[in-house]
Amino acid sequence: MKYQKEKIILFISISCSIFLSTYLWNYISFIYSDPGIIGIYSKNNHDAKNDIFRYFLFVGLPVLVYLFLKYFFKKDFFLKIKTFLTKKDFISLKTHTSLLFLLFIFIILLLLDFLSLKFPDHKIDSYHDGQKLSSAYKSYLDGSLWSGSYVTVGIFYETLASKFIWQLFDHISIGLFRFTTIFFILIFKFSLVFLSFLLTKFLYLDNFYKKIFFLFNSVIFLSLTEYNTHDISISYRDLPVVILFILFICLFFKKNQTLVLFLISSLSILSMLWGIDRGLICNLLIIIIFLHLFCLGDYKKFFTLLLFISFFWVLFYFMLGNEFSYFINNTVSVYKEMSYVNGLIHPTPFSDEPNAARATKTIISIIICLLISLSLIFKSNTKFSTSFKNVMFFLAIMAFGSYLYALGRSDGQHIKHSFGFPIMFLSIYFSYLLIFKISKIGFKTNKFAKNISIFIILGIFVAYMINLNSKDIFTYKKRFNSFINLSDDHFLNKEELVFIKKINTLVKDYNCIQLFTNDAAFNYLLRKKSCTKFYFVYVASPLDKQKKFISELDNTKIIIANGPKNNWDIRLEDKLFLVDNFIQNNFYKHESIKYWDVFLNKY
């Protein structure tokens, strides 16, 4: 009776705290400090700190209420927390052969699905695809990194991935650029299945029920991502975050601890190269790992990790040379300014604002994940080992931190991509509870019946999620060669094709061309370097970037401007008003081709 009363009080109090957070949402309003950037935030006098603090309040208040009530109800509150933080609980690496075989089958199926894949030969998005094509092409020509292009996402994402594969095949094509994406999605799928496999080691289940857990969660995890990147709940760009989670899990195994720490430390820098948004989350999670080791009193591992991280950053510094300072300045600039450049105001939860329902669903799920992970601390170990509690708490923190991506750009797609980790958490927790309960009922089934049930689940997975085509598999090499050798013309719409063909004769004698259009792919399509660092023009809206842009236009002879994508969000002429004014005063319109204007230097 006392326990039921506690649950009722917790439920009512947490629900009230969520409604209070919703009420207070719009009362958090920092005075807008104009950074000199034209964007949605400036149009609405909205400070970027508002979204962050509103999110922290909305999530933090229910969590604090829960902890306060637990402190009130639990006499051993601090003892439970101390046990959670300080108890060492290593897990055996031993795995039943049949579970390993099931993992092997999954890997083979994913590989066959990949080999059956129809290659993505749809038309390019000259804005988003161009972000990765033109920077990579410039680096391919002159070896520049941050010094040659202003990088907004990550040097690997925007530049190195395409550049490396072009160098590997000694061939430049959109097909090879597209292949890098689907290849990384395959690796991401492998990592999700392997994660599901590792989680079985923390469960108080026999081998048969572990296989059920592995199958179910592998299917759930894989359903969150697709080769069609528009219809996903978690992006392959979260690969370093998932790898870090896997390595954190490996800290609970007795063997190869030094290697695990070495790999964790490498992610401190590698994740930043992959993408600075994911890099930020990875480094925050590494700080959590530091705290975990410190609380355990494992000072040897604590200082080993610190030493390895220092080693990688020093190595990175010497390897990059002059590029290191460009990397630091570029990264700081993006963290400081990018929300103002392309930020969208986050919708108020439970409102009728655009994307509010999706945002509310996602944030509420994050709160539930955090509350469940905290509740595990106060539960007995009859179902949950201490290591399992640590793993779930780490995953809940991942879910909380990953929503920061959506705060910088609060559109439907970014919010949806933040929903993956909460789904993974809830899938792990509730499937384990259900399977654990079933296992205790003690259904009497023979070995044959158990194996049949496993293959039925596997068959359902193959039927609904795996596309196997023997003809495509056996002709993969031929299809691949045909795809990577498709001409650029194949990927262009009619207007782009006419424009590129006509302007090619004009730009052939110029060493570089400058864009004042959101069609960032034109540098690549015309096989010309950008005259400035700002090939992805939209991001140059801060005043200091506009002045830098103008200073680098001194030797520019030709500018391509306008186009149908210029009205995306805010017009470039309004957003980069200083640059536009400079162009109007120093260049003249030579001709118009379809939607685009060609400007030549007056002097």
Side-chain angles (χ1 to χ4, degrees), residues 112-334:
L112 293 175
D113 178 57
F114 178 77
L115 295 176
S116 301
L117 190 68
K118 302 295 182 184
F119 288 108
D121 62 350
H122 55 274
K123 306 302 181 185
I124 65 166
D125 174 353
S126 59
Y127 178 69
H128 292 95
D129 288 337
Q131 184 181 15
K132 293 179 277 187
L133 285 167
S134 291
S135 176
Y137 182 71
K138 185 173 186 179
S139 182
Y140 182 87
L141 292 178
D142 60 19
S144 64
L145 298 173
W146 299 272
S147 62
S149 300
Y150 185 77
V151 178
T152 58
V153 176
I155 197 68
F156 193 83
Y157 176 82
E158 289 181 47
T159 306
L160 295 181
S162 299
K163 175 186 175 181
F164 284 163
I165 199 167
W166 290 341
Q167 290 176 329
L168 180 65
F169 285 84
D170 192 24
H171 175 65
I172 298 175
S173 73
I174 292 175
L176 276 174
F177 147 72
R178 286 257 174 93
F179 179 77
T180 60
T181 299
I182 61 175
F183 177 75
F184 286 128
I185 293 173
L186 173 66
I187 300 301
F188 188 52
K189 289 188 173 191
F190 283 161
S191 69
L192 292 175
V193 171
F194 187 63
L195 171 61
S196 178
F197 168 77
L198 285 180
L199 289 168
T200 62
K201 297 182 177 297
F202 296 86
L203 311 179
Y204 292 148
L205 298 172
D206 65 27
N207 186 61
F208 169 71
Y209 289 106
K210 283 186 176 182
K211 286 189 284 186
I212 297 294
F213 176 91
F214 168 68
L215 282 170
F216 177 82
N217 283 285
S218 293
V219 171
I220 294 297
F221 293 178
L222 291 173
S223 71
L224 301 175
T225 190
E226 273 298 338
Y227 291 109
N228 175 11
T229 55
H230 292 289
D231 188 28
I232 57 176
S233 295
I234 187 171
S235 170
Y236 77 94
R237 291 188 54 226
D238 283 301
L239 180 60
V241 182
V242 171
I243 291 175
L244 181 61
F245 185 37
I246 289 172
L247 291 172
F248 176 73
I249 289 173
C250 291
L251 285 175
F252 294 94
F253 304 136
K254 291 183 179 181
K255 295 183 179 180
N256 303 317
Q257 292 288 288
T258 302
L259 175 61
V260 172
L261 292 172
F262 181 82
L263 294 174
I264 289 173
S265 62
S266 70
L267 282 174
S268 177
I269 184 63
L270 292 177
S271 62
M272 294 294 293
L273 300 181
W274 176 271
I276 60 175
D277 51 355
R278 270 61 180 183
L280 174 63
I281 298 303
C282 276
N283 279 281
L284 291 174
L285 291 172
I286 288 173
I287 293 174
I288 299 294
I289 294 174
F290 268 117
L291 294 173
H292 170 73
L293 295 174
F294 184 82
C295 290
L296 288 176
D298 216 331
Y299 303 120
K300 181 180 178 181
K301 291 179 184 176
F302 179 93
F303 287 109
T304 300
L305 182 59
L306 182 62
L307 179 64
F308 281 151
I309 289 176
S310 301
F311 165 77
F312 275 108
W313 277 94
V314 171
L315 178 65
F316 179 57
Y317 171 79
F318 284 109
M319 286 179 64
L320 284 183
N322 292 333
E323 288 282 355
F324 184 82
S325 61
Y326 286 105
F327 159 70
I328 294 297
N329 292 333
N330 194 131
T331 303
V332 171
S333 172
V334 171

Side-chain angles (χ1 to χ4, degrees), residues 342-573:
N342 68 348
L344 295 174
I345 300 173
H346 192 284
T348 304
F350 301 105
S351 71
D352 57 357
E353 298 171 15
N355 300 307
R358 178 171 286 174
T360 304
K361 175 184 67 176
T362 305
I363 300 178
I364 292 295
S365 68
I366 290 170
I367 293 172
I368 292 172
C369 292
L370 288 168
L371 294 178
I372 290 175
S373 68
L374 290 172
S375 71
L376 289 176
I377 297 173
F378 304 102
K379 292 184 182 294
S380 65
N381 290 335
T382 55
K383 296 179 184 176
F384 309 103
S385 63
T386 303
S387 54
F388 179 80
K389 295 175 182 179
N390 275 277
V391 166
M392 295 301 283
F393 182 75
F394 194 82
L395 180 55
I397 297 297
M398 284 170 55
F400 171 77
S402 294
Y403 195 77
L404 294 175
Y405 313 147
L407 297 181
R409 179 76 182 171
S410 300
D411 58 7
Q413 188 172 15
H414 284 82
I415 293 172
K416 185 176 181 180
H417 289 180
S418 301
F419 197 36
F421 288 131
I423 293 177
M424 289 170 62
F425 181 100
L426 297 172
S427 173
I428 294 166
Y429 178 74
F430 287 111
S431 66
Y432 177 45
L433 282 183
L434 178 61
I435 294 170
F436 183 86
K437 188 173 183 178
I438 292 173
S439 70
K440 293 305 178 183
I441 295 175
F443 292 116
K444 292 184 179 181
T445 53
N446 57 37
K447 187 176 181 180
F448 176 77
K450 288 183 176 181
N451 288 333
I452 287 295
S453 65
I454 293 293
F455 281 104
I456 288 174
I457 297 174
L458 192 59
I460 294 172
F461 166 70
V462 173
Y464 285 95
M465 299 191 65
I466 298 293
N467 175 36
L468 300 182
N469 187 313
S470 59
K471 181 181 178 181
D472 286 341
I473 293 172
F474 288 114
T475 60
Y476 183 83
K477 183 177 180 181
K478 180 181 178 181
R479 294 190 303 113
F480 174 75
N481 288 329
S482 176
F483 176 65
I484 67 173
N485 285 293
L486 287 173
S487 69
D488 291 342
D489 292 354
H490 177 84
F491 297 94
L492 303 180
N493 61 40
K494 291 180 181 179
E495 290 76 16
E496 291 167 340
L497 191 59
V498 170
F499 174 77
I500 293 298
K501 284 186 174 181
K502 189 168 183 180
I503 200 174
N504 249 322
T505 56
L506 178 63
V507 303
K508 63 181 180 180
D509 295 327
Y510 293 103
N511 292 324
C512 66
I513 60 172
Q514 181 56 50
L515 303 180
F516 194 63
T517 172
N518 282 325
D519 294 286
F522 283 175
N523 285 113
Y524 164 83
L525 294 169
L526 294 168
R527 298 298 193 271
K528 294 292 181 179
K529 294 193 296 183
S530 173
C531 297
T532 74
K533 292 177 64 172
F534 304 104
Y535 73 98
F536 198 51
V537 185
Y538 186 82
V539 300
S541 55
L543 290 178
D544 62 323
K545 301 295 184 300
Q546 292 194 56
K547 292 174 182 177
K548 176 69 173 174
F549 195 152
I550 292 170
S551 70
E552 293 182 10
L553 284 174
D554 288 344
N555 297 318
T556 300
K557 303 300 181 183
I558 182 170
I559 293 176
I560 298 172
N562 299 320
K565 289 185 173 60
N566 260 35
N567 292 325
W568 181 82
D569 200 41
I570 294 176
R571 294 170 66 248
L572 281 180
E573 293 84 349

